[in-house]
Amino acid sequence: MTDTRGSAHRDGEAPFRHAPGTPCWVSLMVHGPDTARRFYEALFGWEFRPGPQQPGPYAGALLDGREVAGIGLLPPDRHLPIAWTPYFASADVDRTAEAVRSCGGTVGVGPLDASDAGRLAICSDPSGAVFGVRQAAAHLGTAATGVPGAPSWNELTTFESERVAKFYASVFGHAVEPEISTDVDHVTLSLEGRPVAAVHGVGNGLLRDRGPHWTTYFTVADLDDAVDHVLHLGGQVLRQARAGAHGRTATVTDPEGARFALMQHSR
C-alpha cells in the first residue's frame, strides 16, 4: 500500500489535484451525524467545519488543519448503506457516469453540483458495491493520507475479483495486477505503476447481509489502543487484530454500524 495521489508529498501533504482514477475522498452518510462526529473526533482527533449543504447537512473532518474525510446526514429518501464510501477522482463526472452505465454499473445519485466540493455522483459496480466519483472544484479532496487519523487504503470485498476489476479498469483506466497465488483471489488496481486500491474475492465467504462492499483503512499509531478506544466509544470489533504484509489491521464499526478498518503500518 502506497500513497495514491498524483502529486503528494511523503509527509502526507497533498498540494495538487488528485489524478483521475485515484481515491480522492471518503464520505460517511449517517442518520445521526452529531453522534458520528463525536465518535471520530475522540478516535482520530478530527475537528469539523461545515461543508457543502447540498444535498443535505455535511461537515468536513480536519486532521491538523487538513481535510481528510466528510460526514453528513443521510437524506431519508436515499436508500444507501450506512458505510464509508470512497470517491474516485474524475476530470469529467458526467462522462465517467456514462462509462459506469455502459460497463454494467449503476448511477444512483447525480451527477450533481455540491458547491466548492465540485461535481459528484454515487454509483455501484456490477456486483452492487457502492462508490463515489468526484470532479474537484475549489476543494481538492483528501489532503493527508497514511498518517495517524487519515485514510490510507481502500479495498473492495466481492464474490470474485476478475469481472469487477475489469469494470474499474474500464471506467477509471486502472491496471489490474493479480496476486500470484493458487488459493487467494486478490488483485491490485494501479495507475502508472502506483497501487491505488485492491479487490478481494471471497466467494461464498461474503456475508449475505453485507454484500459486496468497499472498506476504507485508517492509519493509527497503536492498533491495540485504537481498538480499545473503539469499544469504549460504543463501536464494535468485527475482525480482531491480525498481521498482514503492510502491517497489523482490525475491522471495526462505529456506533451506527459503519464498517471501517484500522491499520498500524509496519516499521
Side-chain angles (χ1 to χ4, degrees):
M1 300 181 189
T2 63
D3 190 281
T4 59
R5 283 146 314 153
S7 301
H9 295 307
R10 290 294 182 180
D11 62 0
E13 295 285 356
F16 304 117
R17 191 174 298 271
H18 294 261
T22 59
C24 63
W25 189 243
V26 288
S27 184
L28 175 64
M29 305 300 288
V30 293
H31 298 298
D34 291 340
T35 299
R37 287 195 291 266
R38 287 193 294 270
F39 172 86
Y40 290 100
E41 179 181 13
L43 181 62
F44 293 137
W46 290 351
E47 298 178 341
F48 291 90
R49 69 180 176 196
Q53 300 304 295
Q54 295 295 330
Y58 194 80
L62 296 140
L63 181 68
D64 296 328
R66 296 172 291 174
E67 283 199 303
V68 292
I71 296 177
L73 176 66
L74 182 66
D77 60 337
R78 298 282 165 80
H79 301 291
L80 295 171
I82 303 298
W84 280 101
T85 301
Y87 281 70
F88 292 88
S90 171
D92 186 330
V93 163
D94 293 84
R95 181 173 295 180
T96 301
E98 285 302 314
V100 167
R101 295 187 184 98
S102 67
C103 293
T106 302
V107 179
V109 178
L112 54 82
D113 293 318
S115 185
D116 62 355
R119 192 160 174 78
L120 314 173
I122 300 176
C123 311
S124 57
D125 66 28
S127 74
V130 176
F131 65 95
V133 182
R134 188 171 180 277
Q135 180 181 341
H139 168 61
L140 299 182
T142 302
T145 187
V147 296
S152 60
W153 189 245
N154 292 282
E155 181 167 285
L156 171 62
T157 303
T158 188
F159 295 106
E160 58 85 24
S161 67
E162 183 176 5
R163 178 168 172 258
V164 177
K166 286 181 178 178
F167 166 84
Y168 289 96
S170 298
V171 172
F172 295 111
H174 295 149
V176 178
E177 302 175 2
E179 183 171 323
I180 307 302
S181 174
T182 58
D183 58 354
V184 176
D185 181 10
H186 189 275
V187 303
T188 300
L189 303 178
S190 299
L191 286 171
E192 299 181 351
R194 294 178 295 108
V196 297
V199 182
H200 186 202
V202 297
N204 293 330
L206 191 65
L207 296 175
R208 290 189 177 184
D209 65 334
R210 181 63 177 136
H213 60 277
W214 282 94
T215 299
T216 296
Y217 288 71
F218 293 91
T219 299
V220 294
D222 186 315
L223 181 62
D224 297 317
D225 181 68
V227 167
D228 287 344
H229 217 33
V230 166
L231 294 172
H232 176 73
L233 294 168
Q236 297 182 33
V237 176
L238 300 180
R239 192 184 71 178
Q240 296 291 336
R242 65 179 66 182
H246 303 282
R248 297 176 68 232
T249 64
T251 304
V252 299
T253 74
D254 65 20
E256 203 162 318
R259 303 179 185 218
F260 59 101
L262 303 170
M263 170 175 282
Q264 180 181 340
H265 292 286
S266 301
R267 298 187 182 277

